[in-house]
DNA sequence: AAAAAATTTAAACAAATGATTAAAATTATA
DNA sequence: TATAATTTTAATCATTTGTTTAAATTTTTT
């Protein structure tokens, strides 16, 4: 009988195995629905080891949440702040790199946004980075392109176009017989289209 | 007993009070984190009444989920299928009526999409309506406007632009000192902008 | 190789929680 | 009004679940 599904983890430390397993289960079921026994089973380890290495379920969750918040938000911000080039090129990079990241972590958005919903304080640590955005070169470039455009709406739009499909993923996958492409191909098509769509939207008065 | 026309929470039946309270708590905390005691407290009723009227927590949740799925998806589909008029006018109606609906039910999207994530079978009942969309007049009209445009992407886009901000709401509200407008005003601005943005996106080759 | 330290295990505990029960209170019926 | 049916209540039950404990095992140190 195989318990943990990831055989290549044999050589990882027990501590790491627990974190990896916890990340999988927490993302699939959320904090409340996850039992420490689920994590132990996913890791193929004894239940007590979770408390031995991480003290409590909540502490383990917070550690994972901190990492996922970084992946989700802190990866996004450098894209915005990156120097040089035109807005068009920046948008192209954002959509390509961000969607690629999400294709590797499809459960990430729902997990993070759900955690912020039930515990907004989680988000406090992120605000710092967000403040930089409004003074970024990109915002200035956009203002020049279209003085009427609001940067808040711009960021909502590019995040919405990139992220929302991943939150809808279970529904989209369920519609595979209706749709012309599967989820991954839909998203790869979006990598090409989102920059064009964003360019068109920015010019709207 | 015939009820008066001006029904208040006080006059509602115990059954209804439980459902209302459960909807509030389930949307705030999700299924697993919600204790039946939370629902009883929110309703101001004895704990045992929940099982008396609804048999089990899961059954009560399923009833509420069915209603919320309808509100979230089945309200959207008639907008798409509505006859006559130009695509521009239809998009204008969708964005106005759908965002207005969500402003009244801001927790709805995360709740529904989260439930589909952990239990995709919930979504099965919705597929029927979705099949109609691809043969709708709107899809034909869009094809005419731009033969290269994919209707899957169109629906992802309009849903993303309308719905995603509500999933980000706790984060957006947390940024209120950075943003020029509060959440509700941001969304009211979007009601005006989304039709223009969608029109611009549709024309992209 | 012996002792000490670290890790792992099986078992158990204590609190939380969904559900039930039987009696009390209320409302409807005859 | 008296009786029956329905609704509400307080108490309790049985299970689940996060955590702890103490012994067993493995690894490191001397």
């Amino acid at each position: 009988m195989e318990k943990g599904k990831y055989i290549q983890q044999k050589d990882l430390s027990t501590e790491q195995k627990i974190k990896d397993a916890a990340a999988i289960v927490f993302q699939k079921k959320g904090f409340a629905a996850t039992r420490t026994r689920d994590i132990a089973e996913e890791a193929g380890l004894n239940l007590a080891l979770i408390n031995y290495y991480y003290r409590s379920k909540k502490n383990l969750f917070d550690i994972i949440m901190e990492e996922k918040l970084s992946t989700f938000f802190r990866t996004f911000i450098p894209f915005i702040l990156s120097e040089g080039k035109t807005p068009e090129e920046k948008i192209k990079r954002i959509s390509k790199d961000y969607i690629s990241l999400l294709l590797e972590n499809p459960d990430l958005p729902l997990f993070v946004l759900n955690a912020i919903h039930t515990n907004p304080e989680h988000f406090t640590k992120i605000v710092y980075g967000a403040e930089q955005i409004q003074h970024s070169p990109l915002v200035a470039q956009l203002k020049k392109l279209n003085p009427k455009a609001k940067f808040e709406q711009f960021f909502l739009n590019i995040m919405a176009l990139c992220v929302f499909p991943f939150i809808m993923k279970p529904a989209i996958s369920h519609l595979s017989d209706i749709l012309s492409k599967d989820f991954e191909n839909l998203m790869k098509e979006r990598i090409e289209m989102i920059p064009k769509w964003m360019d068109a939207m920015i010019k709207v008065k």
Side-chain angles (χ1 to χ4, degrees), chain A:
Chain A
M1 272 303 267
E2 62 156 18
K3 289 195 165 181
K5 283 141 201 167
Y6 298 86
I7 300 144
Q8 72 272 19
Q9 293 205 345
K10 244 189 280 186
D11 43 352
L12 291 179
S13 73
T14 300
E15 205 171 342
Q16 190 62 44
K17 281 186 201 165
I18 292 171
K19 211 165 76 174
D20 292 353
I24 290 167
V25 184
F26 278 140
Q27 286 191 75
K28 193 157 73 192
K29 307 170 71 155
F31 177 76
T34 295
R35 301 172 309 141
T36 51
R37 282 160 178 83
D38 297 331
I39 297 170
E41 196 185 339
E42 176 72 36
L45 294 169
N46 186 284
L47 169 64
L49 291 171
I50 290 166
N51 293 83
Y52 180 78
Y53 284 103
Y54 290 98
R55 301 246 315 280
S56 72
K57 175 189 171 187
K58 177 64 165 44
N59 183 49
L60 175 54
F61 180 82
D62 286 344
I63 289 167
I64 287 164
M65 178 51 59
E66 169 63 25
E67 291 188 5
K68 297 300 173 185
L69 276 171
S70 271
T71 310
F72 187 68
F73 285 108
R74 301 217 182 94
T75 308
F76 187 73
I77 292 171
F79 294 163
I80 304 292
L81 301 178
S82 63
E83 281 294 333
K85 308 287 173 58
T86 63
E88 286 82 3
E89 285 167 322
K90 279 178 191 168
I91 293 167
K92 214 176 260 183
R93 255 204 72 204
I94 294 170
S95 103
K96 177 161 174 283
D97 293 356
Y98 205 52
I99 289 178
S100 300
L101 171 78
L102 296 180
L103 279 170
E104 311 255 306
N105 304 272
D107 291 341
L108 185 66
L110 194 56
F111 176 69
V112 167
L113 294 171
N114 216 42
I116 294 174
H117 174 80
T118 53
N119 204 343
E121 304 86 71
H122 270 134
F123 188 66
T124 309
K125 307 161 194 166
I126 302 298
V127 177
Y128 164 71
E131 278 170 341
Q132 301 179 284
I133 287 179
Q134 58 187 327
H135 305 113
S136 67
L138 178 55
V139 168
Q141 288 171 314
L142 293 172
K143 203 85 206 162
K144 212 167 187 177
L145 268 173
N146 182 356
K148 295 193 104 181
K150 305 281 187 300
F151 84 96
E152 293 98 335
Q153 303 290 11
F154 171 82
F155 288 108
L156 271 178
N157 289 347
I158 191 160
M159 281 208 94
L161 294 181
C162 291
V163 174
F164 181 75
F166 289 89
I167 293 168
M168 279 281 284
K169 189 186 172 192
I172 294 169
S173 301
H174 213 276
L175 293 172
S176 53
D177 47 332
I178 297 177
L179 305 177
S180 61
K181 296 183 172 62
D182 65 14
F183 182 80
E184 194 174 333
N185 280 314
L186 272 176
M187 293 316 297
K188 284 180 176 164
E189 191 173 277
R190 289 180 79 79
I191 291 177
E192 307 301 322
M193 293 308 296
I194 286 175
K196 298 179 185 174
W197 291 331
M198 287 299 302
D199 288 350
M201 289 168 81
I202 289 167
K203 284 162 193 155
V204 168
K205 304 288 173 182

